[in-house]
C-alpha cells in the first residue's frame, strides 16, 4: 500500500492561491503534487504522468472540469483514478453533474482543512483497495 510521497496528486485550478491552499493542507501527508491551471494543461499532464487522485475545479478557461473528468473516465490508463471536484459551484445541479461525469466526491469552497484531508485519504484508500 502506498503512503506519503508515493502518492501523486494532481491539483487543477485556474487560481494559483487555491492550488496553494490545497497543497498546504495536504502536504502534511507528504504527498507528491503536480499542478495545472486549466483543463487542457491538466489533460496534457494526465497523458504523460500517473496520478493517484485528481482534485479538480469546475470553472476554468479552455476546458471546464466537467469535460476534463468526462475525458479522464474514457481513458483506459486513468479511468479508475478518483476525481474529487473542489469548486465554488454549490448548487444541486452542479453537484449532480459532477457525479454524473464520473467524480467520486464533491467539496465546495471554502472548505475545511480536516474535511479535505479526510476525503482525500478515504478515496486514496478506496482506490488502492480495488
Amino acid at each position: 500500500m502506498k503512503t506519503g510521497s508515493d502518492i501523486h496528486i494532481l491539483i487543477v485550478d485556474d487560481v494559483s492561491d487555491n492550488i496553494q491552499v490545497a497543497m498546504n493542507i495536504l502536504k502534511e501527508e507528504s504527498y507528491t503534487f503536480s499542478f495545472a491551471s486549466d483543463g487542457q494543461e491538466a489533460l496534457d499532464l494526465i497523458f504523460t504522468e500517473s496520478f493517484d487522485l485528481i482534485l479538480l475545479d469546475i470553472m476554468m478557461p479552455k476546458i471546464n472540469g466537467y469535460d476534463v473528468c468526462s475525458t479522464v473516465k474514457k481513458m483506459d490508463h486513468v479511468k479508475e483514478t478518483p476525481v474529487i471536484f473542489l469548486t465554488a459551484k454549490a448548487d444541486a445541479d452542479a453537484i449532480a453533474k459532477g457525479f454524473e461525469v464520473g467524480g467520486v466526491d464533491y467539496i465546495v469552497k471554502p472548505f475545511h482543512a480536516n474535511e479535505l484531508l479526510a476525503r482525500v485519504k478515504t478515496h486514496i484508500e478506496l482506490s488502492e483497495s480495488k
Side-chain angles (χ1 to χ4, degrees), residues 1-4 7 9 29 31 52-53 80 82 84 104 117-130:
M1 186 165 240
K2 292 181 177 181
T3 59
I7 296 170
I9 298 175
E29 296 299 319
Y31 299 135
D52 297 290
L53 185 123
E80 298 299 322
I84 299 176
V104 297
L117 270 171
R119 290 179 186 234
V120 165
K121 283 182 185 179
T122 296
H123 287 292
I124 287 171
E125 289 172 7
L126 286 170
S127 179
E128 288 184 348
S129 69
K130 287 184 180 177

Side-chain angles (χ1 to χ4, degrees), residues 5-127:
S5 61
D6 295 333
I7 296 170
H8 193 185
I9 298 175
L10 175 61
I11 303 174
V12 187
D13 200 306
D14 59 323
V15 178
S16 60
D17 286 350
N18 291 340
I19 291 173
Q20 191 66 45
V21 167
M23 189 189 76
N24 285 340
I25 292 167
L26 296 170
K27 73 180 181 184
E28 74 179 56
E29 296 299 319
S30 302
Y31 299 135
T32 300
F33 300 99
S34 290
F35 314 98
S37 59
D38 63 59
Q40 185 59 59
E41 187 180 348
L43 290 174
D44 292 345
L45 283 169
I46 290 165
F47 280 120
T48 60
E49 296 185 42
S50 176
F51 298 100
D52 297 290
L53 185 123
I54 300 168
L55 290 175
L56 183 60
D57 188 23
I58 292 173
M59 298 175 291
M60 295 182 296
K62 298 183 184 174
I63 302 174
N64 70 45
Y66 295 133
D67 292 341
V68 170
C69 188
S70 291
T71 301
V72 164
K73 295 305 170 182
K74 294 174 187 165
M75 299 166 64
D76 285 338
H77 73 289
V78 290
K79 67 183 177 187
E80 298 299 322
T81 302
V83 175
I84 299 176
F85 285 102
L86 189 59
T87 183
K89 287 184 72 73
D91 62 279
D93 289 341
I95 295 168
K97 186 170 181 178
F99 288 109
E100 287 167 12
V101 298
V104 297
D105 210 338
Y106 197 102
I107 303 171
V108 176
K109 298 175 193 169
F111 54 85
H112 297 282
N114 57 351
E115 176 187 14
L116 178 63
L117 270 171
R119 290 179 186 234
V120 165
K121 283 182 185 179
T122 296
H123 287 292
I124 287 171
E125 289 172 7
L126 286 170
S127 179

